[in-house]
Amino acid sequence: MLNKLFKPKYVPYDSKYIELTTEDERNIRTITEDIKSYISRSDKASDVNYHTRDAHAKGYCALKAKFEILDNLPKEYAQGLYAEAGIHDAVIRFSNGASRVAPDRKLGLAQGLAIKVFDVPGKKLAPGEEDSTTFDFNLINHPVFFCNRIEDYAYISKLFLELPEYAEKGARGKAQLAFNWLTNYGSKLPTKESFKTFKAVGGFTTIEPKNTLLYSFFSQGAVRHGNYMGKIRVKPTEAATQKITRRDLDLATHEEAIRPLIIDELREHDYQFDIQIQLCRNLKKQPIEELTTEWKESDAPFVTVARLTIPCQDIPDDGNFEVMEHLSFTPFRCLEENRPIGNLQQSRLKAYQIASETRHNLNHVKRREPKSLKETFAKSFF
């Protein structure tokens, strides 16, 4: 009786969170045009001989993994992808969140974890890939994003691409960035929203320097979770963190400081992350449209629904460069039951598609979605 009395209530999914206006569509076109323009000059921006992603341009490694969906989950959590227990092959990519390829000390500590899970049945949302059998996650080691609405991201996305140029100018560059961010390049007065987003982007400077394997990674935005709505966290297990012997990150004396820490550990032992869902219980405390607001774990706990295991494996010093560069990851390579939701998140559908197509075309590489882990790492695939 007491268990029934105190059983938590979850906010039901509402399709209004995926609706777009004509103005939203217009702003999305602006965002994607800026992305295409940047990728076309990304080789010169990073001084490399290939065209990079517009974000997470520097990959650290592509690794073989296992994704295990747990059995006997509570019905509220056994939704969509997580409805059926089982073990799937997966490939993951660790990366830096910046738009450039450069020494680690110049890029900041925002880092990404992308996961591609194989053999997932069901129609996918990625355009032209409805029959794909893969399911992707795009996560970052910080719980909140630096923007909330498509209309603001239409200019903030361009500022993000220009961040390295501002950083190179020192204090003058920081002041110029603040002005352009708060006023949309001087076109309007600062608003409560622009101050909120500028504070949020500053939060990325507080990320603690450490071995990438010790971070938790977040979806930042909300996702549909079947009948409900939630956020995703991928957190190292306690047992796994105890295995790490190279814990400290030395950016001052090593240009490539991050990749070797990951690779050297995984050449010696396996590693595990818990895949967790944080279901929305209260829209005031866990707003769907406010990506700059962290959902407090004390208000909405994370529940483990799956486990990601990275087995001990042979990894070349370049981290399997060609594999990680040619792969594409998009949060819309997913089931309808697990789709990204919220206004800003809808812009990612076109943005990720256009970015991937542009990059592959400019690099003269055929854009293909692998059907298996073996195919992913086959030298003849890309």
Side-chain angles (χ1 to χ4, degrees):
M1 182 68 179
L2 284 176
N3 286 339
K4 290 184 179 180
L5 185 63
F6 291 104
K7 186 175 181 180
K9 292 184 178 180
Y10 304 107
V11 178
Y13 167 68
D14 191 330
S15 62
K16 72 179 183 181
Y17 292 116
I18 65 171
E19 295 171 359
L20 292 172
T21 66
T22 302
E23 184 179 359
D24 288 334
E25 298 281 8
R26 185 163 51 248
N27 284 325
I28 288 173
R29 286 193 291 273
T30 298
I31 293 167
T32 55
E33 285 303 313
D34 285 342
I35 289 172
K36 288 170 63 177
S37 175
Y38 173 74
I39 292 176
S40 69
R41 58 185 172 84
S42 62
D43 56 339
K44 295 180 176 61
S46 289
D47 193 23
V48 293
N49 62 356
Y50 61 97
H51 295 269
T52 74
R53 292 166 166 86
D54 58 301
H56 297 272
K58 184 175 184 176
Y60 290 124
C61 49
L63 303 167
K64 300 171 184 177
K66 294 286 184 182
F67 190 95
E68 180 184 4
I69 301 168
L70 303 183
D71 201 1
N72 298 318
L73 295 174
K75 65 178 183 179
E76 294 87 357
Y77 292 89
Q79 305 270 330
L81 173 67
Y82 314 99
E84 186 173 339
I87 300 177
H88 300 254
D89 284 338
V91 58
I92 66 173
R93 179 182 188 260
F94 285 113
S95 60
N96 192 287
S99 61
R100 301 291 194 274
V101 177
D104 290 335
R105 64 175 175 273
K106 293 184 177 181
L107 296 178
L109 291 171
Q111 294 175 52
L113 168 60
I115 307 170
K116 187 180 296 294
V117 184
F118 294 100
D119 298 320
V120 176
K123 183 180 178 181
K124 307 305 186 300
L125 297 184
E129 299 184 44
E130 291 81 5
D131 296 330
S132 173
T133 57
T134 52
F135 186 112
D136 290 358
F137 294 82
N138 296 71
L139 310 154
I140 198 164
N141 63 338
H142 192 61
V144 298
F145 193 54
F146 51 79
C147 189
N148 293 314
R149 304 176 304 191
I150 290 175
E151 63 181 283
D152 294 320
Y153 199 64
Y155 80 90
I156 287 176
S157 64
K158 187 175 181 180
L159 280 165
F160 169 78
L161 296 173
E162 297 168 343
L163 284 178
E165 283 89 342
Y166 289 108
E168 288 174 1
K169 296 176 183 178
R172 180 170 167 268
K174 290 180 181 179
Q176 186 180 16
L177 172 64
F179 175 80
N180 289 342
W181 191 292
L182 294 172
T183 67
N184 188 354
Y185 292 92
S187 67
K188 63 181 183 179
L189 292 173
T191 63
K192 182 179 179 180
E193 183 67 20
S194 65
F195 277 109
K196 184 191 299 182
T197 59
F198 191 65
K199 179 181 178 181
V201 77
F204 284 84
T205 64
T206 67
I207 296 173
E208 178 187 356
K210 57 185 177 182
N211 190 314
T212 300
L213 295 170
L214 296 172
Y215 290 121
S216 290
F217 295 85
F218 302 84
S219 62
Q220 298 184 322
V223 296
R224 179 180 178 182
H225 191 75
N227 297 326
Y228 309 102
M229 301 180 288
K231 290 189 176 184
I232 305 167
R233 179 174 73 180
V234 176
K235 181 181 180 182
T237 66
E238 286 295 329
T241 61
Q242 298 305 313
K243 298 179 181 180
I244 300 297
T245 59
R246 304 163 183 86
R247 308 181 77 86
D248 298 325
L249 180 64
D250 181 6
L251 292 171
T253 57
H254 298 88
E255 287 204 348
E256 298 301 322
I258 294 173
R259 181 185 293 120
L261 291 185
I262 303 170
I263 291 177
D264 289 347
E265 291 290 338
L266 294 172
R267 284 170 173 169
E268 296 178 0
H269 57 79
D270 61 6
Y271 201 72
Q272 289 81 34
F273 289 90
D274 284 335
I275 312 294
Q276 301 178 321
I277 298 295
Q278 184 184 31
L279 289 182
C280 178
R281 295 185 176 188
N282 184 315
L283 285 172
K284 289 185 178 180
K285 293 182 177 181
Q286 297 104 43
I288 302 299
E289 300 288 11
E290 291 284 316
L291 280 71
T292 56
T293 298
E294 183 175 2
W295 294 8
K296 294 181 180 178
E297 192 171 357
S298 57
D299 294 326
F302 286 95
V303 173
T304 299
V305 295
R307 179 156 292 166
L308 179 72
T309 298
I310 310 170
C312 177
Q313 56 196 276
D314 292 328
I315 311 167
D317 290 341
D318 68 1
N320 293 307
F321 176 81
E322 286 199 3
V323 174
M324 63 181 170
E325 283 307 306
H326 297 328
L327 284 173
S328 292
F329 295 90
T330 168
F332 281 90
R333 195 174 283 118
C334 67
L335 302 170
E336 168 62 37
E337 293 84 356
N338 305 105
R339 66 175 298 148
I341 60 173
N343 175 260
L344 180 58
Q345 292 246 85
Q346 303 317 299
S347 69
R348 300 172 81 186
L349 175 63
K350 274 291 183 185
Y352 278 68
Q353 179 189 6
I354 294 296
S356 178
E357 290 175 352
T358 303
R359 181 169 58 87
H360 280 78
N361 287 339
L362 290 171
N363 287 329
H364 307 291
V365 175
K366 185 175 182 180
R367 185 172 178 265
R368 300 171 62 188
E369 183 65 6
K371 294 182 173 62
S372 68
L373 187 62
K374 182 178 180 180
E375 187 176 65
T376 303
F377 283 86
K379 291 184 179 180
S380 60
F381 183 65
F382 295 110

